[in-house]
Amino acid sequence: MTHSKHRVAIVLPADANEPLATRVENSRLAHIAQAFTGAGAQVVSAPFCDEIASDIEARLAGVDIVLVWFNPFEGSRDRDQLNAMLRAVADKGVVVSAHPDVIDKMGTKDVLYQTRHMAWGSDTQRYDSIDAMQTGLLDSLKRGPRVLKQLRGQSGNGIWKVSRHEGGQPSLLTTRHAKRGSLEEHMALSDFLALCQPYFAHSGAMIDQAFQLRLHEGMIRCYVVGNKVVGFGEQLINALYPSPEGQPSSEAPLPGPRLYFPPDRGDFQDLKHKLEQEWIPQMCKVLELKHDGLPVLWDADFLLGEKSRDGKDTFVLCEINVSSVYPFPPSALQPLVQEALRRC
């Protein structure tokens, strides 16, 4: 069955030299465009930068669905103008995935706090001001190492592992930034708070989670189309590893390769079942999201938590990605096309 009447727009960052001439067929998303064309849909390239926002809004008039691959921050720019355009397009009846309002609910680190009481949750605090963080962090550090995360960001920027410096005063910390090339450092709480002050202006709050001791065993990424898991990624993420003893100034080891697997990988079936049957419906209820409002494509990252009493793995949510989920395993491509066309 073909869908020749459907017009599918793909929003992507515009080329700096010829923004309006940017074509999705010449980008890293070319295979997605080819998959939609193969299903009989018409693909519309929708390159975006602030300077051509009105042109692209006009180009999106009359399309059936808009799929967006655009990071929270591209270079020095945020998504404010893009989000305003997407809201205007959605208000005219076009399906937008992911809608900016959905990103605000599930695509920022605030989802970790809002869903902290779910089975995928952990000991999580939210600080709305630097003063609240000064008080709350000293208290949470009594329970062990913490991971501090700004609400919006990418590539490890604004994510810190923090612990009390052994043998030091309570306000002396050992810290490591997750941004590649960062070193483990010892600093006073006041100095760390000064480093974090810009994050409050930038994203409005910070999330404080318990550090997961099984981090060294890797992260599992679940690729999801709508409410169905369509593939997995697995990677050793080393950015917050403690420095080897006697080498406090060493950089964290580079992350391992991300390996991709189809949705039928045997040892991930328990996680797949929990996510599809329990956690996604619970998240939708907590965040007041409709199932058809979920992004066409998104992913959820999990670390391994403490073993259960019967020796089974538990899973702790550390992030949900919505804005620009790529790459994904080949098993996700056809479900992505089918779900997008179904929503048309």
Side-chain angles (χ1 to χ4, degrees), residues 77-236:
R77 298 187 175 191
D78 59 30
R79 282 182 46 136
D80 287 353
Q81 196 161 340
L82 170 62
N83 289 342
M85 184 200 74
L86 293 174
R87 287 187 172 98
V89 169
D91 287 345
K92 296 175 183 177
V94 177
V95 177
V96 173
S97 181
H99 192 287
D101 293 348
V102 175
I103 295 177
D104 286 345
K105 288 187 175 183
M106 63 180 284
T108 75
K109 305 299 188 300
D110 200 39
V111 70
L112 302 173
Y113 181 74
Q114 298 298 334
T115 64
R116 65 194 182 282
H117 299 306
M118 288 174 47
W120 72 18
S122 61
D123 175 8
T124 305
Q125 312 296 319
R126 187 185 197 274
Y127 304 132
D128 294 316
S129 68
I130 202 71
D131 291 337
M133 182 171 161
Q134 181 173 9
T135 302
L137 182 56
L138 281 176
D139 184 58
S140 65
L141 282 170
K142 296 175 183 177
R143 302 190 292 277
R146 312 295 295 182
V147 177
L148 279 294
K149 304 176 180 182
Q150 65 169 330
L151 291 192
R152 298 178 184 271
Q154 62 201 58
S155 303
N157 187 32
I159 298 178
W160 294 80
K161 180 190 175 187
V162 182
S163 58
R164 298 172 71 172
H165 181 49
E166 291 187 13
Q169 298 296 319
S171 59
L172 184 60
L173 309 178
T174 298
T175 67
R176 185 189 283 279
H177 196 192
K179 199 168 184 179
R180 187 168 296 177
S182 300
L183 304 178
E184 188 171 288
E185 300 180 73
H186 303 312
M187 66 177 71
L189 173 63
S190 57
D191 293 332
F192 179 66
L193 293 172
L195 284 176
C196 294
Q197 180 72 62
Y199 301 142
F200 288 90
H202 181 258
S203 64
M206 290 198 76
I207 299 299
D208 171 359
Q209 273 191 305
F211 177 77
Q212 298 303 314
L213 297 178
R214 297 178 69 188
L215 173 72
H216 65 282
E217 297 181 51
M219 182 188 76
I220 303 167
R221 173 166 288 179
C222 297
Y223 291 90
V224 186
V225 167
N227 60 1
K228 299 297 181 184
V229 176
V230 296
F232 298 101
E234 187 176 29
Q235 186 178 31
L236 296 178

Side-chain angles (χ1 to χ4, degrees), residues 8-12 32 36 65-69 95 97-98 296 336 340:
V8 179
I10 295 179
V11 175
L12 71 164
I32 300 175
F36 277 106
I65 187 168
V66 176
L67 303 177
V68 185
W69 274 271
V95 177
S97 181
V296 170
L336 163 66

Side-chain angles (χ1 to χ4, degrees), residues 7 9 19-22 44-47 54-63:
R7 301 182 72 224
L20 279 172
T22 306
V44 177
S45 295
S54 58
D55 298 280
I56 299 306
E57 183 174 345
R59 187 178 295 187
L60 296 179
V63 303

